[in-house]
């Protein structure tokens, strides 16, 4: 069982930055792929970024070059550094963990992840 707790959300002006953190419980954190997803009002949850246990990273096209995912296995924590924020980045951001068998594109899908945090609100004002 893995419990995930996100933090770091808030209100920021367009062009600003935020860093989200996701603290995980459990002794096998390093074996999990970790993902960030977001959900805006009235929209489906969408993939933002993921990082494998080995450190491979994946990004949605909409955030490439602006967001950076990283992990600290010693602290059981994954981060999402968000720069050059835009109003369209406004959403609830969710952290997720999974260790299902990989297939091409799997990290982009919610089905890859077994555990989810409660979410943290990010609001970007124009």
């Amino acid at each position: 069982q893995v419990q995930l707790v996100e933090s770091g959300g808030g209100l920021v002006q367009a062009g600003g930055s935020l860093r989200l953190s996701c603290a995980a419980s459990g002794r096998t954190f390093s074996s999990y792929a970790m993902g960030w997803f977001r959900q805006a009002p009235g929209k489906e949850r969408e993939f933002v970024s993921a990082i494998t246990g080995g450190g491979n990273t994946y990004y949605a096209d909409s955030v490439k070059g602006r967001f950076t995912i990283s992990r600290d296995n010693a602290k059981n924590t994954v981060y999402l550094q968000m720069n050059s924020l835009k109003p369209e980045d406004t959403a609830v951001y969710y952290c997720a963990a999974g260790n299902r068998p990989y297939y091409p594109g799997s990290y982009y899908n919610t089905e890859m992840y077994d555990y989810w945090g409660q979410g943290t609100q990010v609001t970007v004002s124009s």
Side-chain angles (χ1 to χ4, degrees):
Q1 192 78 1
V2 176
Q3 293 184 323
L4 304 172
V5 179
E6 302 99 334
S7 62
L11 173 64
V12 65
Q13 289 188 332
S17 299
L18 284 174
R19 188 175 84 153
L20 305 183
S21 299
C22 174
S25 65
R27 292 173 289 181
T28 58
F29 173 77
S30 62
S31 69
Y32 282 85
M34 302 298 296
W36 286 98
F37 288 75
R38 66 187 182 187
Q39 189 166 18
K43 295 188 177 181
E44 292 187 355
R45 192 167 296 191
E46 66 173 3
F47 171 78
V48 176
S49 184
I51 185 167
T52 68
N56 294 326
T57 58
Y58 302 83
Y59 296 95
D61 288 343
S62 59
V63 307
K64 277 181 183 176
R66 300 189 297 123
F67 291 10
T68 303
I69 191 170
S70 61
R71 66 190 297 161
D72 185 337
N73 289 334
K75 295 182 178 179
N76 279 16
T77 301
V78 63
Y79 305 97
L80 185 68
Q81 177 67 43
M82 305 186 296
N83 299 328
S84 302
L85 282 161
K86 304 175 181 179
E88 51 264 44
D89 294 319
T90 295
V92 177
Y93 283 70
Y94 297 92
C95 174
N99 62 355
R100 294 178 182 243
Y102 167 81
Y103 62 86
S106 59
Y107 298 120
Y108 297 82
N109 295 324
T110 58
E111 296 171 353
M112 176 66 180
Y113 304 91
D114 296 303
Y115 305 102
W116 293 83
Q118 293 298 308
T120 185
Q121 176 71 47
V122 171
T123 303
V124 184
S125 63
S126 57

